[in-house]
Amino acid sequence: MSSKPTSTLMTGSQEQTDEEVQELYSAGWQIMADAGMNLTKWTCSSAQVSGDLSKVLADDVSVCKVLGVRWNPEQDTLVYETTPLCSDSVITKRILLSIIARLFDPVGFVSPVVMQAKIMFQQLWSLGLKWDEVIPSEMQDQISVWLQDLSVLRTFRIPRSYFTHGWLSSSLCTLHVFGDASEKAYGACAYLVVETGGVQQASLVISRARVAPLKK
């Protein structure tokens, strides 16, 4: 995947040109061919590379999956898709857990959203409800509001690259880690901050959150 929308691919500490990316593809294709396999389904955020390798790139789709994460190659952004719940669905502990499991978020970009659901699930668990038992009306209302807010995730566009330009030549690059806790949950997050030409930019590297244990 190209780190810049139209020109290069980042690997380690070097910037690779479109020509080098094409050479990388050719070398990979040859290795697979020698093993009797065909290397297909490539896609790239570089318009030049995509055009030159159009015959072997992935199908023309606006969003594809990369290791379970949805990626928009044209915008070079990560996106989220949520499946709305049917209006006549009765919310149970099983259904809530199923919705949480579908919010695949390995980096932790939407940890605050996921944690709300996990806290509510823990509350249901503490009530001793069965998996398909109808939950109390007050909890139904809380979960319904959370489900309605999930549609906001579809508007998120998160740049795949930490920074779009200049960060490899930055004069200063630092990692900032924060942590906090409450009676309901605890978590931590890390940001990468670079300074180029006197201007600072920050980008989320990863976040992790957990619900607090029931036993105090």
Side-chain angles (χ1 to χ4, degrees):
M1 294 186 296
S2 172
S3 176
K4 297 183 180 180
T6 59
S7 61
T8 67
L9 176 144
M10 298 286 198
T11 302
S13 61
Q14 297 180 339
E15 291 189 11
Q16 291 184 301
T17 64
D18 288 340
E19 290 74 17
E20 289 174 318
V21 173
Q22 292 169 339
E23 292 176 3
L24 179 65
Y25 167 79
S26 298
W29 181 89
Q30 188 60 54
I31 292 173
M32 298 292 285
D34 292 342
M37 294 180 285
N38 187 21
L39 182 59
T40 61
K41 299 288 183 182
W42 272 58
T43 189
C44 183
S45 57
S46 166
Q48 178 65 41
V49 174
S50 297
D52 293 343
L53 301 179
S54 58
K55 294 182 180 180
V56 292
L57 292 176
D59 297 334
D60 185 17
V61 293
S62 58
V63 176
C64 61
K65 276 190 175 183
V66 180
L67 299 178
V69 179
R70 295 189 175 275
W71 175 52
N72 184 318
E74 184 177 350
Q75 299 177 356
D76 202 13
T77 56
L78 305 179
V79 298
Y80 287 88
E81 292 186 6
T82 58
T83 304
L85 199 64
C86 296
S87 57
D88 57 348
S89 297
V90 178
I91 301 175
T92 63
K93 191 166 69 172
R94 185 188 304 276
I95 289 179
L96 180 58
L97 182 60
S98 174
I99 296 172
I100 295 173
R102 290 201 296 265
L103 288 172
F104 185 62
D105 183 37
V107 181
F109 288 119
V110 294
S111 288
V113 177
V114 177
M115 286 306 298
Q116 290 184 47
K118 288 185 175 182
I119 290 172
M120 290 187 291
F121 181 79
Q122 187 185 60
Q123 292 173 346
L124 294 178
W125 190 271
S126 64
L127 294 176
L129 300 175
K130 296 181 180 178
W131 282 103
D132 297 311
E133 184 177 350
V134 178
I135 66 178
S137 58
E138 54 194 40
M139 288 293 296
Q140 288 269 6
D141 294 339
Q142 292 181 39
I143 297 174
S144 295
V145 171
W146 178 80
L147 288 172
Q148 293 173 8
D149 291 342
L150 277 185
S151 60
V152 178
L153 295 185
R154 299 179 186 176
T155 65
F156 284 14
R157 297 293 182 270
I158 303 170
R160 183 190 58 80
S161 179
Y162 291 146
F163 305 99
T164 55
H165 63 279
W167 76 289
L168 292 179
S169 59
S170 171
S171 59
L172 181 64
C173 181
T174 55
L175 188 68
H176 300 252
V177 181
F178 304 89
D180 202 358
S182 70
E183 293 183 352
K184 294 183 177 180
Y186 57 96
C189 57
Y191 287 85
L192 193 63
V193 179
V194 299
E195 182 175 326
T196 305
V199 178
Q200 288 188 334
Q201 290 181 286
S203 181
L204 179 67
V205 176
I206 195 171
S207 76
R208 286 290 179 265
R210 298 287 186 273
V211 293
L214 290 174
K215 294 182 179 180
K216 303 300 180 182

